[in-house]
């Protein structure tokens, strides 16, 4: 449901969350033969969720019966029976590989009977089209999913009709997912994960969820263990398409006791709902349309709301992170303070190691620019494995490039060159085109003051 162009890890750019919409979409970021082959992830390493069933029940109901726009859904909708998926258009080789890995995870972790087919009668059609084709229909989208159509050319005429209205659907039968064929492998993979998850299950995003792709902060690149549990609940045999919220709520405790028995005895965290005013401030700060001063004022408003709410969780951290991103061009000292505060608050919430890795990339960039090689090395190194475990190649490559610059500052040139070379295979997956890989290398290298490239 994300509709904003999101650079995965541009250190000097801005992270942009989505604008609420009733069309489920994900927001958008991407050969020279001198580069090494592209690296890819192999065995998934999702972290099993640790969640009380009391919290999980509220999350499930809020995800299932509300659209991100705030509109309530009257019915529980899902596919009934085996689900078939076909691919049309001009898919890349990496798309096929990543789709097969995702379907295997959905079968193994979520217990969903889902398989590939060549039949035009498939339940889910994934069409690979150009980014220009997508943006002609949804200008700020990287990818999106719509019920009851299978070609992007059908969308413009059908977008405001009952045919594509999620609120009118009880049983999902056919829908289309539209992905970019000319984006980086990671962007395509991320779109596959989010759009197929929403095609199968919840259509809402909640900022209070820190361990989920169903969150507009765009921190998670692939479906988490929590997300797979939500989908497993979604396809529990106790539920059926067309049930009301009350009917689902009545059966939910027994379902959760069976699927997540450990959650029966865990105390609830009871993370409160997120005020609409904070969401709107974040969207203004990090979304499209506003000028830099307006963005900074909106970020300040979001931070003030977070303080007024008394938050000590990932939402307070994200408020500081947004302030850091928006002030680093005008006040690098203030930006560092905000990133340090973001890391402090993320550290209070278990399971936010990938969030801290993003913050570390920002703080390490400042350390390199200030010639503090050992500090930068200490910031980056703990997060390399985290980035790999969360399958974020763009972040992993960036951290490895920062590590190389830190090692250069320490006079360890051979180690620096090895780290830089190792980063390139991941950068090819994360950033795509060779020019984008070289641009990222230049961007990180330009931070190093000792080499005279700042």
């Amino acid at each position: 449901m994300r509709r904003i162009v999101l650079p995965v890890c541009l250190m000097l750019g801005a992270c942009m969350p989505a604008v609420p919409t009733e069309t489920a979409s994900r927001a958008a970021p991407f050969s020279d033969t001198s580069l090494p082959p592209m690296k890819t992830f192999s065995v998934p390493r999702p972290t099993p969720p640790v969640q009380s069933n009391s919290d999980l029940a509220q999350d499930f109901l809020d995800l299932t019966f509300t659209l991100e726009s705030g509109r309530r859904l009257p019915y529980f909708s899902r596919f009934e029976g085996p689900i078939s998926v076909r691919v049309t258009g001009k898919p890349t080789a990496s798309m096929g590989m990543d789709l097969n890995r995702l379907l295997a995870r959905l079968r193994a972790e979520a217990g969903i009977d889902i398989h590939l087919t060549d039949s035009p009668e498939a339940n889910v059609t994934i069409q690979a089209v150009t980014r220009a084709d997508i943006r002609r229909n949804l200008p700020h989208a990287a990818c999106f999913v719509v019920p009851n159509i299978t070609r992007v050319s059908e969308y413009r005429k059908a977008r405001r009709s009952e045919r594509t209205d999620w609120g009118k659907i009880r049983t999902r039968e056919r829908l289309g997912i539209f992905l970019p064929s000319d984006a980086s492998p990671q962007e395509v993979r991320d779109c596959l994960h989010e759009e197929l998850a929403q095609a199968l299950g919840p259509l809402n995003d909640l900022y209070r969820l820190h361990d989920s792709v169903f969150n507009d902060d765009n921190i998670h690149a692939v479906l988490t263990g929590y997300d797979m549990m939500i989908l497993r609940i979604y396809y529990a045999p106790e539920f059926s398409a067309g049930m009301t919220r009350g009917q689902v709520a009545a059966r939910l405790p027994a379902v959760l006791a069976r699927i997540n028995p450990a959650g029966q005895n865990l105390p609830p965290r009871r993370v409160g709902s997120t005020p609409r005013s904070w969401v709107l401030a974040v969207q203004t700060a990090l979304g499209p349309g506003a000028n830099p001063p307006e963005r900074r004022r909106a970020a300040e408003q979001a931070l003030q709301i977070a303080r007024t709410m008394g938050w000590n969780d990932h939402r307070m951290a994200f408020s500081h992170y947004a302030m850091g991103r928006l002030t680093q061009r005008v006040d690098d000292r203030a930006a560092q303070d905000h990133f340090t505060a973001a890391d402090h608050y993320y550290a209070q919430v278990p399971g936010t190691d990938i969030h801290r890795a993003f913050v570390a990339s920002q703080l390490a960039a400042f350390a390199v620019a200030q010639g503090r090689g050992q500090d930068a090395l200490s910031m980056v190194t703990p997060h390399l494995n985290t980035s790999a475990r969360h399958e974020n190649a763009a972040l992993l490559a960036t951290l490895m490039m920062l590590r190389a610059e830190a090692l250069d500052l320490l006079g360890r040139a051979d180690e620096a060159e090895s780290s830089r070379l190792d980063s390139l295979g991941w950068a090819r997956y994360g950033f795509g085109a060779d020019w984008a890989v070289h641009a990222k290398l230049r961007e990180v290298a330009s931070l190093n003051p000792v080499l005279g490239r700042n």
Side-chain angles (χ1 to χ4, degrees), residues 193-235:
H193 276 248
E194 181 165 349
E195 301 311 326
L196 189 52
Q198 293 183 320
L200 299 173
L203 298 165
N204 195 11
D205 283 340
L206 298 171
Y207 272 106
R208 72 170 186 259
L209 305 180
H210 70 275
D211 186 23
S212 176
V213 301
F214 299 113
N215 185 327
D216 273 340
D217 63 11
N218 275 19
I219 294 293
H220 290 281
V222 298
L223 293 176
T224 66
Y226 174 90
D227 298 327
M228 288 295 182
M229 178 178 287
I230 288 291
L231 290 172
R232 181 175 285 276
I233 297 166
Y234 218 87
Y235 283 85

Side-chain angles (χ1 to χ4, degrees), residues 253-326:
V255 172
L256 296 179
R258 175 173 60 79
I259 290 178
N260 188 39
Q264 290 291 91
N265 299 317
L266 291 176
R269 289 183 61 226
R270 301 201 186 284
V271 177
S273 60
T274 306
R276 192 70 185 156
S277 57
W278 184 87
V279 174
L280 293 175
V282 168
Q283 288 165 357
T284 301
L286 303 178
N291 61 40
E294 289 170 338
R295 291 179 189 277
R296 288 192 292 273
R297 285 195 295 271
E300 290 168 357
Q301 180 186 3
L303 182 57
Q304 184 56 50
I305 293 170
R307 288 168 172 159
T308 300
M309 296 296 294
W311 287 339
N312 291 298
D313 60 14
H314 56 285
R315 292 170 295 182
M316 174 63 88
F318 191 67
S319 301
H320 279 290
Y321 184 76
M323 280 295 299
R325 296 302 291 258
L326 292 171

Side-chain angles (χ1 to χ4, degrees), residues 73 144 195 222 263 391:
L73 292 172
F144 62 100
E195 301 311 326
V222 298
E391 301 190 26

